[in-house]
């Protein structure tokens, strides 16, 4: 299935876990962030609804990764606010934000960032283990996700023993194993060839739709953005919602 026909047979999955597709999960308003004299964000806004895939696009240095980091509570904006389920992230303690990233948020990065000393199965089980799930239950859930992402056969291998495409599917399984409400994917296909990139995006978006997770997808590639329901363009630290552009 290509990005252009991603919605066929999948959008009904967006209502997974009983979530209301119209619910605004994450709302960012007038975000500003500078690193020294250089502004990374200059009044950016974004609204993410339950179950939707939003692509954040823009050239290198436009501020799109900084926007994702602010949305996920990894970086505090200098001004503006990010509200998740009507709670302001900056008002939470560090411990509360860390807990949120273990329970409600999942992450996929460009180079996977798997733990090299652990097997693929152990990498996927790790978020559950950190949340207190017993090893047997965590690894059973991890094995199910590896099968779903079509990499069950490499469960006992370490990240250095698998291909880039396989490793990235393991990273997707790790992001989804805990049942997050939001998955943040920062250039998830940036280190892959086009064939593996298409496979990763198909599996990621299908799984997210089926579980009801929303996805914030940072990319500069139109073929990757084609898997989204909506596009936000970031340029010079400002955002533009293409859904509202006539």
């Amino acid at each position: 299935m290509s990005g252009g026909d991603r919605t066929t047979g999948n959008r009904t999955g967006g209502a997974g876990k009983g979530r209301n597709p119209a619910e605004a999960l994450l709302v960012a308003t007038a975000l500003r962030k500078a690193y020294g004299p250089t502004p990374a964000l200059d009044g950016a806004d974004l609204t993410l609804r339950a179950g939707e895939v939003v692509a954040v696009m823009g050239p290198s240095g436009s501020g799109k990764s900084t926007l994702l980091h602010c949305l996920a509570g990894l970086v505090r904006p200098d001004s503006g606010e990010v509200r998740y389920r009507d709670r302001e992230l900056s008002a939470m303690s560090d411990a509360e934000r860390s807990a949120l990233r273990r329970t409600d948020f999942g992450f996929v990065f460009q180079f996977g960032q798997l733990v090299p000393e652990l097997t693929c199965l152990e990498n996927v089980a790790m978020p559950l283990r950190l949340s207190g799930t017993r090893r047997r239950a965590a690894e059973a859930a991890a094995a199910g996700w590896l099968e779903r992402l079509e990499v069950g056969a490499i469960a006992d291998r370490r990240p250095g023993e698998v291909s880039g495409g396989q490793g990235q599917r393991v990273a997707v399984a790790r992001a989804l194993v805990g049942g997050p409400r939001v998955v943040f994917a920062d250039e998830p296909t940036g280190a892959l060839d086009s064939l593996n990139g298409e496979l990763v995006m198909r599996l990621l978006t299908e799984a997210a739709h089926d579980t009801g997770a929303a996805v914030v997808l940072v990319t500069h590639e139109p073929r990757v953005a084609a898997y989204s329901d909506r596009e936000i363009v970031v340029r010079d630290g400002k955002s533009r919602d293409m859904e509202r552009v006539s």
Side-chain angles (χ1 to χ4, degrees), residues 74-85:
L74 297 169
V75 169
R76 288 180 185 265
D78 296 330
S79 63
E81 68 173 22
V82 178
R83 301 189 73 85
Y84 172 67
R85 302 182 71 193

Side-chain angles (χ1 to χ4, degrees), residues 137-174:
E139 292 190 352
W145 273 104
L146 288 172
E147 290 291 340
R148 183 167 185 167
L149 274 295
E150 302 177 6
V151 283
I154 65 168
D156 294 330
R157 299 183 193 174
R158 286 181 168 75
E161 301 171 336
V162 304
S163 70
Q166 289 172 325
Q168 200 66 331
R169 280 180 272 162
V170 173
V172 171
R174 183 183 60 184

Side-chain angles (χ1 to χ4, degrees), residues 145-207:
W145 273 104
L146 288 172
E147 290 291 340
R148 183 167 185 167
L149 274 295
E150 302 177 6
V151 283
I154 65 168
D156 294 330
R157 299 183 193 174
R158 286 181 168 75
E161 301 171 336
V162 304
S163 70
Q166 289 172 325
Q168 200 66 331
R169 280 180 272 162
V170 173
V172 171
R174 183 183 60 184
L176 291 167
V177 70
R181 287 178 173 267
V182 184
V183 175
F184 296 95
D186 194 355
E187 298 282 6
T189 66
L192 303 178
D193 59 48
S194 59
L195 183 61
N196 276 299
E198 290 280 342
L199 180 58
V200 165
M201 286 309 305
R202 175 177 66 81
L203 292 169
L204 169 60
T205 52
E206 284 181 356

Side-chain angles (χ1 to χ4, degrees), residues 198-221:
E198 290 280 342
L199 180 58
V200 165
M201 286 309 305
R202 175 177 66 81
L203 292 169
L204 169 60
T205 52
E206 284 181 356
H209 287 158
D210 289 347
T211 60
V215 179
V216 179
L217 169 66
V218 166
T219 183
H220 64 276
E221 299 183 61

Side-chain angles (χ1 to χ4, degrees), residues 42-65:
D42 186 20
D45 304 308
L46 185 146
T47 297
L48 179 70
R49 295 185 287 267
E52 72 173 345
V53 179
V54 173
V56 179
M57 300 191 69
S60 296
S62 62
K64 57 187 185 295
S65 289

Side-chain angles (χ1 to χ4, degrees), residues 54-144:
V54 173
V56 179
M57 300 191 69
S60 296
S62 62
K64 57 187 185 295
S65 289
T66 300
L67 175 58
L68 181 144
H69 294 161
C70 288
L71 293 173
L74 297 169
V75 169
R76 288 180 185 265
D78 296 330
S79 63
E81 68 173 22
V82 178
R83 301 189 73 85
Y84 172 67
R85 302 182 71 193
D86 211 30
R87 289 189 66 196
E88 187 176 354
L89 291 186
S90 61
M92 296 181 183
S93 67
D94 290 342
E96 286 176 317
R97 285 197 303 276
S98 294
L100 194 66
R101 290 192 289 269
R102 288 197 303 270
T103 58
D104 285 36
F105 295 167
F107 296 87
V108 183
F109 300 101
Q110 180 173 348
F111 297 104
Q113 295 188 353
L114 301 175
V115 180
E117 295 82 8
L118 302 180
T119 66
C120 291
L121 180 69
E122 290 167 338
N123 267 280
V124 176
M126 184 168 56
L128 297 179
R129 296 287 289 141
L130 291 174
S131 296
T133 304
R134 290 183 179 274
R135 179 175 177 176
R136 181 175 296 181
E139 292 190 352

